[in-house]
Amino acid sequence: MQDYTTQRSVILCVTSQDIKQQNIIKSLGTWVQLDDQILLFCPEEKSNGIIEKIKKNELTLSNYSTLSQGCELYLVVQEGRSFQQEYPDINIILDKGRFLIAEVNSDRVQEIREKHTISYLMKTLEKDSVIFKRHINHVSRTTPVPEIQSFVDRLNQSRFESYLTRLVSYPTRLSTSKYYKLAVTWASEQLDEMGYVTRVEDFTMGSEISQNVIADKQGGDTERHLIIITAHLDSINHKDGPGASAPGADDNGSGSAGLLEIAYVLKDLPIQHDLRFILFGGEEQGLFGSKQYVDKLSDFDKSRIRVVINMDMIGSMNTPTPTVLLEGAPISKLVMDALGDAAKVYTNLYVQTSLTPYASDHVSFIEAGIPALLTIEGADGANHNEHTPNDTIDLISYELALEILRMNIAFVISQLKIYS
């Protein structure tokens, strides 16, 4: 926002969940939106007039601040509270967990950007933009399709919990550790026993080697699309170092166990299109497993991929009601809408959406022009336990995890097309 925040120094935060009211707010000046909160920017001399208009329209002014001299506004996308932990002195204008609007002194911008961290991303704040918002359902029908509902109902908490219990039993799942290799062997055996064609593929991390687990189920049509479900299998402890305890129950035992649970439910489903499950390694160190997997795909293979659904951190209840964030890019918009519709029909999830992809394996596919989407627990930034020894199974919300799995499996079945 360097083009105008140095001239327009007042920042007004207005809150509304009503779309008509939000449009009124946006008509008052330059803005950015984060769910139900909209930041308005204006010159100080015009702020009183805009505040009067806000009051006249019975809108809620939740915050008022003045941009500090020599500062500019940036969008920060972070894992956990990583940015705030590293820069506790930087003023946060608006905190929405994964997404922050930060007031950064121009002298520090280059210093922050040169760190090349994978824990947070700082980018220029674009005016008149929606950072993330509540999903608007596109379906008028609320009656489930019986055939889809029957598979949604087969998701089993006890089985999901057993998968997760095994994953957190390893002291760590650091991608280059012996324990990660044990987790790879166990997970590939589970998928193989379900009847999938399973393989383990090596990839490099500097001078070391790690593995991805890939499992396929072939569809029956002659010309087949490919639907991919992913999660990262590795865990990490940023707090105490690479050799320390990293149970990774939520990040990302929950997504990995969820992948295995969906695979179990779909193992005998007669489908028209191809289905692939991938457990990636190296995600925590910089998406190594998914980047190298995508780099090796032929143009033909890329063209066959209809959608990639990535599950990363689906088990921590950080909000009063079960909430999921669907995060993708413009290329993912149709998928995002369809997943949101599935959430309405088959779950009680509160759905938020964002077109700012960051820091999980869906990004590797999006950068290759493939429609991919992250499904992640709402307000994941409020989860202070990820990447620490405190990310333990006793903190998992099975209610939330199962709801996200119901949404995902309902959508995936609609894409695979079932043979009757």
Side-chain angles (χ1 to χ4, degrees), residues 294-312:
V294 172
D295 285 346
K296 291 179 180 178
L297 287 173
S298 67
D299 290 341
F300 174 72
D301 286 337
K302 290 178 183 177
S303 70
R304 282 207 316 126
I305 300 174
R306 174 173 285 181
V307 61
V308 178
I309 300 298
N310 181 32
M311 294 185 290
D312 192 352

Side-chain angles (χ1 to χ4, degrees), residues 117-135:
T117 177
I118 62 170
S119 297
Y120 56 81
L121 168 72
M122 189 177 78
K123 59 187 295 186
T124 301
L125 186 63
E126 296 181 9
K127 62 181 180 179
D128 299 343
S129 62
V130 177
I131 308 304
F132 81 105
K133 64 179 180 179
R134 184 186 304 196
H135 175 76

